[in-house]
Amino acid sequence: MAAVFPTLMIVPTGIGCEIGGFAGDALPAARVLAAASGCLVTHPNVMNGAALYWSDERIFYVEGWGLDRFAAGELALRGGRRQRVGLLLDAAIEQSLRDRHLQVADACRATLGLEIGPVVTTDVALGVTLRQGESGVSWGSLERPDALLRAGEKLRDGGASAIAVVARFPDDSGSEALQAYRHGSGVDGLAGAEAVISHLLVRHLQIPCAHAPALAPLPLDPQLDPRAAAEELAHTFLPCVLVGLSRAPDLIQSASAQPGDLLATGLGALVVPEGALGGEAVLACLEQNVPVIAVTNPSVLQVSSYSMGLEGRVVAAATYAEAAGLVLAMREGVALPSLQRPLPGLDVLTLAQD
């Protein structure tokens, strides 16, 4: 097998992708891409399956803001470390639900051997509000971002090298949007607000962070879509976050990178949904001429290669399995046109006559 071929996989949060729009349902695709590339960089939205997770030394777990900065060349990724994961709890979480999350932390310590702590509760409730844009994309806001950042600083100063955040999200068990999501359509209404929380912390602290919402349990639904099932297996979404953060790479300023650190200049390819080509990381990769593989993966967005005027600069793939095959071909140095029939014609140049 040829040397590793670092590949970036993005499935944007809160846009309702058919693959990756639910709880960790892009994880099988990530596993295949990691095997094909030998080194996959992706974000928690891809890897988090609530009580389910998959630990793979070939996969770098990088929060979205840090991932954008990595793609832009500002940050490098330094793997190989086991993080001490601090736990940040929203003061709005009621005692019984707080106890459930603390039990998850204890279970991960006792069963998986993770280093977790310290634990900090915000001095005031964070005040999470959920919203949905006209396009259908989910987003949200915090009433007290200052409380979030104070608690994050306390954890960092207390020795945490990564932070798992648990914020109390509004319960809306009877909403039509939630029922649609549980039955396999619509958008994850929590994802946009989760991204706001993690982005704020990572930008402020420059250490790995990820979020798990605190919610009351939902009533049993026998008609649940398989992609939504992972979210209903336990009392919390925290286990996958603790596991992912425990082996997340350090975020290093590119100017301070050392041999062995991964820089954007070392990326071999980007894999992204065909309708989600307008993101910051995608544009950075295009600017740096990183090959972009656009996978058919419908969502509420329609920012396609056609609408962006990128025909000829993006390689299309019908499935993630096909994308993995393309990554493997590039890793092995196989020219992609050689896999097509009929073969494209040779470019023939002529010299001007005197």
Side-chain angles (χ1 to χ4, degrees), residues 49-309:
L52 303 179
Y53 48 84
W54 194 269
S55 187
D56 190 324
E57 295 288 342
R58 298 168 299 188
I59 299 178
F60 282 10
Y61 182 96
V62 183
E63 187 277 336
W65 184 88
L67 187 149
D68 285 344
R69 303 278 64 75
F70 163 72
E74 298 172 16
L75 294 177
L77 307 178
R78 181 175 297 166
R81 178 178 179 183
R82 289 296 179 264
Q83 305 288 0
R84 182 183 183 192
V85 184
L87 183 56
L88 194 163
L89 300 175
D90 185 353
I93 301 173
E94 54 270 41
Q95 188 61 47
S96 60
L97 197 51
R98 172 187 168 86
D99 288 342
R100 292 291 189 188
H101 285 85
L102 292 174
Q103 288 170 354
V104 170
D106 279 339
C108 287
R109 293 167 62 216
T111 304
L112 302 178
L114 304 188
E115 186 176 8
I116 298 174
V119 178
V120 168
T121 300
T122 59
D123 47 21
V124 294
L126 294 176
V128 177
T129 302
L130 305 181
R131 296 283 187 268
Q132 194 168 43
E134 292 183 6
S135 66
V137 173
S138 71
W139 60 283
S141 61
L142 288 182
E143 291 179 10
R144 295 300 301 270
D146 58 316
L148 176 73
L149 299 183
R150 280 194 301 273
E153 290 171 353
K154 186 77 171 179
L155 287 171
R156 179 199 58 194
D157 296 344
S161 59
I163 296 177
V165 188
V166 183
R168 187 60 167 98
F169 272 42
D171 293 316
D172 196 12
S173 60
S175 73
E176 293 183 5
L178 177 60
Q179 294 310 310
Y181 176 77
R182 296 178 81 193
H183 294 161
S185 62
V187 172
D188 180 355
L190 312 181
E194 290 192 274
V196 168
I197 292 168
S198 61
H199 288 9
L200 278 172
L201 273 176
V202 176
R203 183 173 61 184
H204 184 66
L205 301 175
Q206 303 284 298
I207 63 176
C209 302
H211 179 267
L215 293 162
L218 293 170
L220 177 67
D221 185 347
Q223 305 303 317
L224 199 67
D225 187 278
R227 294 171 296 170
E231 298 188 46
E232 313 211 12
L233 299 181
H235 296 283
T236 85
F237 305 117
L238 185 57
C240 61
V241 171
L242 294 178
V243 172
L245 287 173
S246 72
R247 50 181 308 277
D250 288 331
L251 306 176
I252 308 296
Q253 293 297 317
S254 294
S256 302
Q258 299 175 0
D261 294 344
L262 181 60
L263 293 158
T265 52
L267 279 177
L270 163 68
V271 179
V272 64
E274 158 63 16
L277 295 177
E280 187 173 352
V282 178
L283 297 178
C285 287
L286 286 166
E287 185 176 344
Q288 297 173 54
N289 295 314
V290 174
V292 174
I293 301 172
V295 182
T296 301
N297 186 7
S299 72
V300 298
L301 292 185
Q302 300 295 326
V303 187
S304 65
S305 54
Y306 175 77
S307 65
M308 294 281 288

Side-chain angles (χ1 to χ4, degrees), residues 29-40 56 58-59 331:
R31 291 179 60 194
V32 172
L33 286 167
S37 65
C39 175
L40 184 71
D56 190 324
R58 298 168 299 188
I59 299 178
R331 179 180 181 182

Side-chain angles (χ1 to χ4, degrees), residues 306-352:
Y306 175 77
S307 65
M308 294 281 288
L310 297 174
E311 297 96 324
R313 296 190 61 192
V314 172
V315 181
T319 66
Y320 282 99
E322 182 180 346
L326 294 171
V327 167
L328 183 58
M330 288 188 281
R331 179 180 181 182
E332 292 291 332
V334 176
L336 298 186
S338 72
L339 301 175
Q340 303 172 10
R341 294 296 183 272
L343 282 168
L346 289 171
D347 289 333
V348 179
L349 305 180
T350 58
L351 296 175

